[in-house]
Structure formats: structure tokens, C-alpha cells
Amino acid sequence: MDSLSPSEVLQHLLGEHALVRVHINVNHPQLGLPAAVLAQHREQLGAGGGAIVLELGYNLPVPIQDWKFGEHALECTCSFGRIPFHCVLPWEAFVLVTPLDESVHCVWPAAFSKVDWAGPVSSDVTQPARNHLRAVK
């Protein structure tokens, strides 16, 4: 599957497994996800954000009814906390796709290299943090 596009891989894996995890670069300018989801993700991982993991499939509790495998992006209505949101997931933002059993991993190196995995580095930390545990007699 080395030379397949994210669209081809995703369609193939959905046909084989019905439910997959996709890792999406949260810093792609055309990414369309709920602002609250992105804010929560960035709060957990830092301002750089890295990649967000979404579960997509045919057998979700709230089924995706409007799959559109376009030339530049996947568009579909996903549910976040049972609230529908029309998502735009650009193919260029796809970093990794894998079925839930993780039997296959499809990675796109160009997208992988654009992800800020480390997040921001704080320059105001000059001392190591103190241990919060104390010896008690």
C-alpha cells in the first residue's frame, strides 16, 4: 500500500475493517473540525497540537451518512458528544491510518514531517521541578 493515497487507503481499510483510526495534523489550514475539539486537543498537547486521532467508520453509534471522498479532502458529518459537525479532512493532513486492531499502519512521510510532535518549548523553565513526594517518619 506504499504508493496509495490516503483516500484509497481509507476506502480500502473501511471496506475491510469498517472502523479505523486516522491521525490528522491539527495545524493544516483547511482542516475543518469543531473549535472546541481542537481547543481541548491543544490544551492537552500544547499549542503545537501534533496530530488528533479520529475514529471513522460505518458502525459508529452515530453513523456517518454523508461520506464524500473528494479530490482534496474527505468531507463527512461526524458526531462529537452526539453533536453533529460537518468535517473537512484534507488528504494532505492525513498522517497515519490504521484499523482499530492496528494490524496495518499506513503513514505518509510528507505529512508526518509537518506535524509539530513536540509542541512549544518553554524557555522560562530554568530549574527542574521539585518532587512532590516527601519522606514521612
Side-chain angles (χ1 to χ4, degrees):
M1 285 197 223
D2 291 339
S3 63
L4 297 177
S5 70
S7 174
E8 293 167 320
V9 169
L10 184 59
Q11 290 179 65
H12 173 78
L13 289 177
L14 285 170
E16 296 272 321
H17 299 275
L19 192 61
V20 299
R21 283 192 184 106
V22 296
H23 297 243
I24 305 288
N25 181 351
V26 296
N27 296 312
H28 193 281
Q30 281 83 42
L31 181 64
L33 287 173
V37 170
L38 290 173
Q40 179 183 12
H41 178 77
R42 287 188 175 114
E43 182 179 303
Q44 292 172 348
L45 295 181
I52 192 167
V53 180
L54 303 174
E55 289 185 0
L56 300 175
Y58 299 121
N59 298 329
L60 294 171
V62 179
I64 298 172
Q65 302 287 333
D66 61 346
W67 296 91
K68 180 182 174 196
F69 291 86
E71 183 178 341
H72 300 288
L74 170 65
E75 293 186 45
C76 57
T77 301
C78 296
S79 175
F80 297 90
R82 298 213 176 258
I83 299 170
F85 187 88
H86 179 79
C87 297
V88 178
L89 308 174
W91 299 123
E92 289 180 353
F94 276 63
V95 176
L96 183 138
V97 177
T98 185
L100 291 185
D101 66 6
E102 297 188 350
S103 58
V104 178
H105 290 82
C106 297
V107 178
W108 289 272
F112 192 88
S113 66
K114 293 178 185 174
V115 174
D116 181 3
W117 294 104
V121 177
S122 176
S123 61
D124 56 307
V125 178
T126 56
Q127 300 178 346
R130 288 183 169 212
N131 190 340
H132 68 281
L133 300 176
R134 296 177 191 218
V136 180
K137 292 185 178 183

